[in-house]
Amino acid sequence: MKIDRLLIVLSLGILFTACKGQGRKANQVSNSSTEDTVKQFIIGNYMIVPESKEVRTYKMIGGANWDGFTFEKDPKINYNTTTLLALGNNVFFKEYFPFNFDVDKLKIFMRDEFYFLCRDDKNIYYTSAQLKPVKIDISNFDAINDFVYKSKKNGKLFFLDIKSYQLLPVEIEIDEKSITHIATNYFYDKNGLYFFGEHSKLNSKGYYDDYFAKSEKLIDAQNIKPIISKKYFFYNKQVFATDDNNIKKLTINGDKIIEININSTESFITDGKTIYSDLNYGYDDNEHNEKGYYGIWYPALYSNIDLQKIYSPQLYFQKSGNSVVFNKYDPNNFQGLIARINNGYFLLADKKKTPIEKMLFYHPETKSTEIFEEKYLKIYPIERFLQYKNVLYFEGIPVETSKLNMSNLREIKNSNYLTDGKSLIYLGNIGGYGNIEKDGIEYAEFNDRIIENVYTANMKPINADLLSDGLTLISSAQKIKIKRLGLNVKIVE
């Protein structure tokens, strides 16, 4: 198998996932039937056609003045003998697997939007859309866990260095029964916190020129478990950033951290005394309490205060006199952040705190405003959607939800789906929406993304856009019985 072909397949899969919300696909039919919603099932960058036993591959087409896409039959995939493998964010057919491995013993143990790590009894496999796949032989090791291995030859311990994707010696005494991976090359056991392998630390002058070639114990502590976030972790009252192989200890109170994600790349953490900003690559240990950027990126706003809460930037608002009105949507005008400080409410913007007298919520469906009550608010991690009371809003516009039981609506974590316990609505990759008018009120209409009477207690996300309960596959707004596909399907978790 050619590696170049694999990388193309993976890249197209990610591209297709990013683009597929822009309009309805050819051959895609959505309805509320309890039967399969489609005759051609699109998953990743493939279209599966059970009736003709074909697998068609996504292909971009176009000319000088236009671009489009189609699906062409893949001559390399044998429908009768192939295996469809769902591995995190990636979908493979057997003919394009990067390695020969034991499908029944394969499991994913680390992944993000760009890559995944999985293993069977013989190898660890690293696969990425950007880089050449890597296979690490573990046949001569016993697995302590997914990140620590013991040599069958001499009993020495090795760890998986996820920067070089090699097994490297631990070279420090640890408790192998309790050793656990945190992030990058940070580990902990019942006796403390460690960093395995090569790393640097700040010296007395604040520079990273103290280089350590071996593993090191950072904190001596008994039976402490870390609290782990995506870009930092909190261990024994100390906070560490986790974006590279430098030991980055943050001067921040881990018991009071508030983390705010502005968008997919911008975020910050603060404890009401110190702020660390991240404009792309993680929280740095020498970037706190700077002179500040514009607007909200200003340390004095978060210094020496009793900071109790910062409301999500997804809760859009407009300022009206000394009040703020939530659900007044203007995507081109970021007003700042609303925070609760010293039991009062403030607008944080333009490098200053402005007291707020009233917090209001606007209902466009009734053109009325009422006092905002936080207990009625649900902010979904799916961008631009929130619920207040029993109304779902998209960019401040009420959504037509007559097919859903709004009192039971909730998110399916780690996915782009909401469920009311019976039906699903897929809200990923929104490129546009239809309009519907009822009683003179305009609603955003997403009924073609609703699948009724399909949710089961066993349903869980394989990735953000793919759900399964072992019997049915849900991909975007499509569903199909696995049995009807007539394929060997393997979902790796």
Side-chain angles (χ1 to χ4, degrees):
M1 189 209 63
K2 295 182 179 179
I3 293 299
D4 291 344
R5 171 60 176 162
L6 170 69
L7 297 181
I8 292 171
V9 167
L10 286 171
S11 298
L12 284 175
I14 291 175
L15 173 64
F16 183 65
T17 299
C19 296
K20 65 184 179 181
Q22 302 304 312
R24 180 171 291 188
K25 309 297 167 303
N27 301 318
Q28 178 176 328
V29 179
S30 296
N31 56 46
S32 60
S33 169
T34 57
E35 301 299 322
D36 297 335
T37 61
V38 289
K39 293 182 178 180
Q40 299 89 6
F41 186 71
I42 295 172
I43 181 171
N45 64 310
Y46 295 100
M47 176 186 283
I48 303 171
V49 190
E51 290 183 2
S52 59
K53 292 193 172 184
E54 290 181 4
V55 176
R56 301 173 185 173
T57 303
Y58 176 80
K59 180 181 179 181
M60 297 189 73
I61 57 175
N65 299 315
W66 66 278
D67 291 301
F69 67 87
T70 188
F71 290 90
E72 291 186 353
K73 182 178 179 180
D74 193 317
K76 291 188 178 182
I77 297 177
N78 186 325
Y79 200 95
N80 294 317
T81 61
T82 193
T83 296
L84 170 64
L85 180 64
L87 268 165
N89 293 331
N90 298 282
V91 174
F92 297 92
F93 279 87
K94 182 177 70 175
E95 288 78 2
Y96 294 119
F97 287 175
F99 306 105
N100 293 320
F101 48 73
D102 188 336
V103 171
D104 293 327
K105 294 183 179 180
L106 198 66
K107 71 167 184 173
I108 296 176
F109 61 89
M110 189 173 185
R111 71 183 185 188
D112 68 7
E113 60 268 36
F114 302 113
Y115 73 92
F116 65 87
L117 281 164
C118 57
R119 71 176 177 93
D120 55 22
D121 290 343
K122 296 181 179 179
N123 296 285
I124 296 170
Y125 308 96
Y126 165 77
T127 306
S128 165
Q130 289 82 21
L131 301 175
K132 181 178 178 179
V134 176
K135 181 172 69 174
I136 304 166
D137 186 358
I138 57 172
S139 58
N140 293 319
F141 295 85
D142 291 320
I144 304 300
N145 53 47
D146 294 326
F147 289 89
V148 180
Y149 296 84
K150 189 173 186 177
S151 171
K152 293 179 180 179
K153 182 178 180 181
N154 56 27
K156 291 185 177 180
L157 295 178
F158 290 74
F159 73 98
L160 175 61
D161 179 10
I162 62 172
K163 294 294 183 181
S164 65
Y165 296 101
Q166 301 178 68
L167 288 183
L168 300 177
V170 173
E171 296 182 326
I172 192 172
E173 184 178 346
I174 62 169
D175 179 68
E176 65 180 66
K177 291 183 179 180
S178 61
I179 193 69
T180 305
H181 179 253
I182 299 175
T184 58
N185 288 341
Y186 286 99
F187 290 77
Y188 76 98
D189 66 10
K190 67 177 185 178
N191 299 314
L193 176 70
Y194 307 87
F195 196 96
F196 290 166
E198 298 177 348
H199 60 279
S200 297
K201 294 194 300 185
L202 284 175
N203 60 21
S204 58
K205 296 181 180 180
Y207 298 104
Y208 282 103
D209 60 0
D210 286 342
Y211 180 77
F212 294 80
K214 295 183 179 181
S215 302
E216 181 183 7
K217 190 172 188 178
L218 302 179
I219 297 176
D220 188 12
Q222 299 299 307
N223 299 315
I224 300 293
K225 290 186 177 181
I227 298 172
I228 303 171
S229 188
K230 185 176 181 180
K231 297 176 183 178
Y232 69 90
F233 69 91
F234 176 43
Y235 182 91
N236 197 36
K237 302 189 181 299
Q238 298 184 51
V239 180
F240 295 84
T242 58
D243 60 324
D244 59 25
N245 274 7
N246 292 335
I247 305 296
K248 292 186 174 181
K249 184 178 177 182
L250 307 182
T251 306
I252 193 167
N253 186 339
D255 289 321
K256 294 185 177 181
I257 286 180
I258 294 176
E259 183 173 15
I260 292 295
N261 295 305
I262 305 299
N263 52 43
S264 60
T265 60
E266 294 180 312
S267 64
F268 68 83
I269 54 176
T270 181
D271 59 358
K273 182 178 181 181
T274 301
I275 179 174
Y276 288 91
S277 60
D278 166 33
L279 299 181
N280 272 310
Y281 301 110
Y283 304 119
D284 202 347
D285 55 353
N286 58 6
E287 291 185 354
H288 67 289
N289 285 344
E290 297 176 356
K291 293 181 179 179
Y293 304 99
Y294 58 89
I296 62 168
W297 301 107
Y298 195 61
L301 292 176
Y302 311 94
S303 300
N304 300 313
I305 58 175
D306 180 15
L307 179 63
Q308 296 158 300
K309 183 181 180 70
I310 299 178
Y311 287 89
S312 168
Q314 285 184 246
L315 184 57
Y316 291 96
F317 65 88
Q318 290 184 9
K319 196 169 183 297
S320 177
N322 293 326
S323 300
V324 295
V325 183
F326 294 120
N327 208 36
K328 283 281 191 176
Y329 185 81
D330 183 356
N332 299 313
N333 187 14
F334 180 69
Q335 297 281 328
L337 293 172
I338 303 298
R340 187 166 73 241
I341 300 170
N342 300 327
N343 295 317
Y345 293 93
F346 293 83
L347 170 63
L348 309 182
D350 301 323
K351 300 184 178 181
K352 61 185 179 182
K353 302 184 189 77
T354 302
I356 297 171
E357 290 186 3
K358 292 182 180 180
M359 305 233 289
L360 307 172
F361 191 92
Y362 176 66
H363 297 275
E365 66 275 21
T366 59
K367 295 182 173 57
S368 64
T369 301
E370 66 176 0
I371 295 295
F372 171 69
E373 295 184 77
E374 188 175 347
K375 65 182 179 180
Y376 295 122
L377 176 70
K378 292 181 182 178
I379 295 181
Y380 297 113
I382 306 168
E383 188 177 0
R384 297 179 288 175
F385 285 90
L386 64 86
Q387 181 180 342
Y388 190 74
K389 296 187 175 178
N390 285 333
V391 182
L392 185 67
Y393 295 95
F394 173 73
E395 296 184 346
I397 301 171
V399 177
E400 202 289 308
T401 55
S402 59
K403 292 183 178 181
L404 299 171
N405 183 345
M406 290 302 298
S407 63
N408 290 333
L409 196 67
R410 61 188 185 274
E411 67 176 289
I412 299 178
K413 290 186 177 181
N414 302 315
S415 82
N416 288 326
Y417 294 85
L418 306 180
T419 183
D420 61 5
K422 292 183 178 180
S423 301
L424 295 170
I425 179 169
Y426 172 70
L427 299 179
N429 302 307
I430 299 293
Y433 59 91
N435 288 24
I436 187 171
E437 187 173 306
K438 296 195 307 183
D439 300 325
I441 302 168
E442 181 182 319
Y443 290 83
E445 195 268 325
F446 297 102
N447 284 337
D448 60 347
R449 290 167 169 261
I450 295 175
I451 309 177
E452 295 182 82
N453 301 316
V454 69
Y455 181 79
T456 68
N458 294 324
M459 194 157 283
K460 52 188 175 181
I462 310 307
N463 57 49
D465 300 317
L466 181 64
L467 304 178
S468 180
D469 61 1
L471 299 175
T472 302
L473 286 176
I474 308 290
S475 180
S476 300
Q478 313 160 91
K479 70 172 180 177
I480 198 165
K481 294 292 184 183
I482 294 175
K483 184 177 180 179
R484 180 171 171 260
L485 287 176
L487 286 170
N488 182 29
V489 176
K490 178 67 176 178
I491 297 171
V492 179
E493 301 178 32

